[in-house]
Amino acid sequence: MLSIFETITRRLIEAWKSDSPTGKKSCFSCRCGRPVYFRNSLCLACHAPLGYEPELQQVRALTAGPRPGTCLIDGAEEDAALWKRCENFESPAGCNWLVPTEDEEPLCRSCRLNRTIPNLDDPENALWWRKIENAKRRLVAQLLSLGLPLASKVSEDPERGVMFDFLRSPEEGPRVLTGHAQGLITLNVEEADDSVREKIRHQLHEPYRTLLGHFRHEIGHYYWDRLVWDTPWLEKFRELFGDERQDYAQALKRNYEQGPPAYWQDEFISSYASVHPWEDWAETWAHYLHVVDSLDTALRFGLRGEDVEQAVEPFSVEDLYDPTVPDAERVILLINSWIQLTTVLNELARSMGQHDFYPFVMSRPVLRKMHFIQLIVKEARGGRPLFEFHK
């Protein structure tokens, strides 16, 4: 199966500069032909039940299976696999993912990653948990699409898996801090309160702060441990991002006392990325996921280069971490298409009086780091080892 990166670049080559009409789209649709979306569990037009099938990576209409509590994906053969809904379907999380009936685990690929959820007796916690799970499911779906290793530290892989604690700060303190440690990602559930999150964003002078952004950043720390540490990539990482052995606590203290260096925009995707090589990796990793997922969504809804043409200075193959890799031209096509798209989306946001959709500037050093991450992702999902191509 093609990874999401190969799928996007193939569609870019076939459609981004095509002269054909944009009517042919590949967004999800119900059996009745109406569009449905990633979160949907019911078609609002024909009331067909819907479910997200993680192997197909699609939301599909469902028909009742031969046994109670089972279902078939619409249009499947008679001997096709049976599915059941995730146990969290009826919970405040409202999970619409499907689980194979032969799987003894009652939770889906996303929900089984949870170790701790907030106290649902509090209606506020229940509302926040739903928002959190909506963001986490989008993260997990993308990681599976990329072919990255992903297993539950709770029930599948205690040594190398990942798990989540969703915690609320007690009134008497201390405040729960969002972060990652040895496969455990902790999220302060108050981040799901838009007013709280916006206040923090303003206090920290951040251009962007979302639940999905938190997840993509923290999972980046997990994949650094999983894919970079103690591998041949480590020295190459240090050459590009810096030496992670420098004192992390001291680096944080320096940042909070002195702020980011004056030149940070030239080297980093965000001011926080300048704090320490670990944070530079996690911020760049999150940005890589942002770009791939957003452009994939744009293409699924039929946007083309001609629809968003802008006069921008394109990157070239020579701007990549390694210009000699076989898919270098495709990477540049992806990035330049993203820059085209975001210039228009920013103007659309401004026309509504909103913050920029894409409040970042991608420099050439950042592009090199993103390409480095792309090479690691490709190898992690079983692609050809690329060490011999590196400078």
Side-chain angles (χ1 to χ4, degrees):
M1 178 184 294
L2 290 175
S3 78
I4 191 172
F5 179 81
E6 280 79 5
T7 300
I8 292 173
T9 52
R10 184 183 65 181
R11 289 211 306 273
L12 276 170
I13 291 170
E14 294 174 350
W16 190 252
K17 293 296 183 180
S18 170
D19 293 328
S20 62
T22 59
K24 185 178 181 180
K25 305 174 179 65
S26 58
C27 55
F28 305 136
S29 60
C30 179
R31 67 167 71 106
C32 68
R34 301 293 181 88
V36 293
Y37 303 96
F38 181 71
R39 297 183 184 181
N40 291 160
S41 57
L42 182 72
C43 176
L44 297 180
C46 71
H47 304 291
L50 305 171
Y52 181 79
E53 205 275 72
E55 295 298 324
L56 292 175
Q57 301 162 23
Q58 293 179 357
V59 175
R60 300 286 291 271
L62 307 174
T63 55
R67 301 194 304 272
T70 66
C71 57
L72 288 163
I73 293 175
D74 205 41
E77 301 293 334
E78 290 185 4
D79 59 347
L82 290 176
W83 298 86
K84 58 187 177 183
R85 285 201 179 274
C86 175
E87 191 175 70
N88 276 335
F89 175 66
E90 299 289 352
S91 77
C95 181
N96 68 337
W97 283 34
L98 301 174
V99 182
T101 54
E102 66 270 16
D103 194 335
E104 295 181 1
E105 170 65 66
L107 298 172
C108 71
R109 295 290 302 277
S110 179
C111 291
R112 70 184 61 175
L113 302 178
N114 295 342
R115 186 178 76 165
T116 308
I117 64 172
N119 179 6
L120 300 181
D121 291 336
D122 185 328
E124 199 169 44
N125 283 346
L127 175 63
W128 291 348
W129 186 44
R130 188 180 188 94
K131 291 182 178 181
I132 288 167
E133 289 297 336
N134 282 337
K136 180 163 70 71
R137 284 193 289 272
R138 187 169 290 276
L139 168 77
V140 173
Q142 185 181 20
L143 297 177
L144 294 175
S145 295
L146 287 168
L148 288 166
L150 187 67
S152 171
K153 194 176 182 71
V154 179
S155 60
E156 295 172 324
D157 188 347
E159 295 298 321
R160 306 190 72 193
V162 65
M163 61 186 177
F164 293 83
D165 280 353
F166 301 135
L167 307 176
R168 185 169 183 174
S169 304
E171 291 185 5
E172 65 276 10
R175 179 175 173 79
V176 172
L177 298 179
T178 295
H180 167 267
Q182 298 179 331
L184 170 63
I185 293 175
T186 301
L187 179 75
N188 185 334
V189 299
E190 295 169 61
E191 288 279 350
D193 184 320
D194 294 340
S195 61
V196 170
R197 192 176 62 256
E198 179 61 18
K199 181 179 179 181
I200 297 172
R201 187 192 70 80
H202 180 73
Q203 290 172 341
L204 297 179
H205 308 288
E206 296 175 340
Y208 173 90
R209 190 180 184 92
T210 67
L211 289 172
L212 184 55
H214 281 316
F215 280 133
R216 285 174 170 164
H217 175 99
E218 299 304 338
I219 204 72
H221 286 302
Y222 166 73
Y223 281 115
W224 189 90
D225 288 349
R226 185 78 187 266
L227 304 179
V228 178
W229 171 249
D230 203 25
T231 75
W233 291 106
L234 182 58
E235 287 305 317
K236 299 176 186 303
F237 165 85
R238 289 171 178 167
E239 293 170 3
L240 187 61
F241 288 84
D243 194 330
E244 84 291 348
R245 291 170 293 189
Q246 63 181 272
D247 192 296
Y248 182 76
Q250 188 61 37
L252 282 178
K253 183 174 183 290
R254 182 173 60 250
N255 176 71
Y256 289 127
E257 291 178 352
Q258 303 176 14
Y263 64 86
W264 72 262
Q265 295 95 333
D266 299 330
E267 302 287 337
F268 304 97
I269 193 59
S270 69
S271 61
Y272 191 61
S274 68
V275 169
H276 188 274
W278 277 337
E279 299 304 339
D280 191 11
W281 163 272
E283 286 285 271
T284 308
W285 175 279
H287 205 75
Y288 170 79
L289 297 186
H290 290 333
V291 170
V292 172
D293 196 25
S294 297
L295 190 54
D296 181 51
T297 300
L299 288 172
R300 284 196 290 109
F301 281 89
L303 289 179
R304 299 175 305 159
E306 281 71 15
D307 299 326
V308 295
E309 198 70 51
Q310 288 290 304
V312 295
E313 180 183 356
F315 289 111
S316 70
V317 168
E318 295 305 313
D319 296 320
L320 295 175
Y321 174 73
D322 184 354
T324 69
V325 295
D327 60 353
E329 292 287 350
R330 293 187 176 189
V331 175
I332 287 300
L333 178 62
L334 180 76
I335 295 300
N336 286 336
S337 299
W338 169 250
I339 299 300
Q340 275 189 335
L341 179 64
T342 55
T343 55
V344 173
L345 293 177
N346 280 347
E347 286 302 311
L348 286 172
R350 293 165 192 167
S351 71
M352 288 294 292
Q354 298 291 330
H355 298 297
D356 281 0
F357 168 84
Y358 182 70
F360 302 96
V361 176
M362 190 185 301
S363 64
R364 282 170 172 79
V366 169
L367 174 58
R368 283 172 54 81
K369 294 171 185 176
M370 288 182 62
H371 189 220
F372 179 84
I373 287 173
Q374 161 61 21
L375 297 179
I376 291 179
V377 168
K378 184 172 182 178
E379 183 180 85
R381 69 174 190 81
R384 177 183 176 186
L386 296 169
F387 295 115
E388 67 267 26
F389 296 129
H390 293 171
K391 291 182 176 180

